[in-house]
Amino acid sequence: MKHLLATMTYPEFKARVAEDPVILLPLGSVEVQGPCNPMGDYMLASVLVERVAKRTGAIAAPTFPFGCADYFRDVPGGMQVSAPTFRAVLRDMVMSFLHHGLTRLLVFNGHTGNNALIDETLREIRREQGIVVPWINIWPMVPDSLRKQAHGDNAPRASGHGSDPIGSVYEYIFPEMTRRDLAGHVEPSKTLLGLPTGGLTSVKLGDVAVNVPINMLDHCDMVVGGDPALANAEAGKLFADFIVDTASMLVQHLKTAPTRQPPVKPEI
């Protein structure tokens, strides 16, 4: 049985429609992932979602490879879409199945910058269509306990954008694509508005975070957080297996979950 929509013939997919299958909608991005990891992290989402589909009998749609991440626009090589574009694409992806009565959908998000837009879009669809579409953000869902198991006392230093968990999953799935030999880059301390940056959303006024529209190069050169040298294939297998296991449990639940809910009507 085929599990990738892109490889199915129309008669094959039409036959599966009668089963009321769970459809997986994977999302990823093309952006800087530190000095060691390929920029197309959507490749990881594609591999992981295929494993979920094979295990559960779900159907995985093609991965939408571009995310919304305005703070990466100053880094060459990244391919971002605007917030209105992302919302429109996600809505069209979802409605492509809802229009045919396929309501068992799961958005498999591999780019944290999409979170607010996914929530906004799926809430709008629920209001209009009365269909609840769940979504998961696959990288932050890896628990601290598993990161501790993978890295021991180095776990806090291993995690961050440009390092883990994506770095280790790359070493597990696509080791031939990585450049772990470039992990020695030392990030400089940077400021904005005369205050030290605290990531991609804020500067620090003492212990207080002040939100500002930071671009990545305001904060760092390549690694937003963590030490990419700590990434390894053994940790990557732990992380990948957890994501696949957890997503598969959710898919099994969605096979019988009541996805139709009455549309919300505003009180007059």
Side-chain angles (χ1 to χ4, degrees), residues 125-145:
I125 288 173
R126 179 181 179 179
R127 287 194 303 269
E128 296 175 356
Q129 305 294 325
I131 303 296
V132 176
V133 178
W135 61 282
I136 54 176
N137 189 18
I138 63 175
W139 304 119
M141 66 189 271
V142 176
D144 290 342
S145 59

Side-chain angles (χ1 to χ4, degrees), residues 74-203:
D74 57 346
V75 182
M79 299 176 67
Q80 296 84 27
V81 295
S82 67
T85 297
F86 179 84
R87 286 193 295 264
V89 169
L90 179 59
R91 179 182 177 85
D92 285 348
M93 289 172 67
V94 171
M95 295 305 298
S96 293
F97 297 101
L98 295 189
H99 282 152
H100 297 280
L102 295 166
T103 65
R104 301 189 185 281
L105 309 178
L106 173 62
V107 176
F108 191 88
N109 180 39
H111 176 59
T112 298
N114 294 335
N115 283 2
L117 302 177
I118 295 172
D119 182 71
E120 178 183 339
T121 302
L122 298 182
R123 286 178 180 276
E124 181 180 75
I125 288 173
R126 179 181 179 179
R127 287 194 303 269
E128 296 175 356
Q129 305 294 325
I131 303 296
V132 176
V133 178
W135 61 282
I136 54 176
N137 189 18
I138 63 175
W139 304 119
M141 66 189 271
V142 176
D144 290 342
S145 59
L146 196 61
R147 297 172 194 248
K148 176 75 171 179
Q149 180 182 340
H151 293 294
D153 292 339
N154 286 325
R157 292 199 303 116
S159 298
H161 193 277
S163 45
D164 261 11
I166 284 180
S168 285
V169 177
Y170 260 127
E171 291 297 337
Y172 167 51
I173 295 178
F174 295 119
E176 72 282 2
M177 295 184 185
T178 66
R179 291 291 307 276
R180 208 55 51 189
D181 58 302
L182 300 178
H185 175 76
V186 177
E187 290 290 346
S189 298
K190 295 191 176 186
T191 63
L192 184 65
L193 297 178
L195 297 171
T197 58
L200 297 181
T201 60
S202 65
V203 293

Side-chain angles (χ1 to χ4, degrees), residues 29-54:
S29 67
V30 179
E31 64 189 25
V32 58
Q33 292 288 349
C36 308
N37 306 316
M39 297 178 71
D41 64 53
Y42 71 88
M43 296 186 293
L44 298 178
S46 296
V47 170
L48 297 176
V49 82
E50 180 177 1
R51 293 183 181 185
V52 174
K54 286 182 176 179

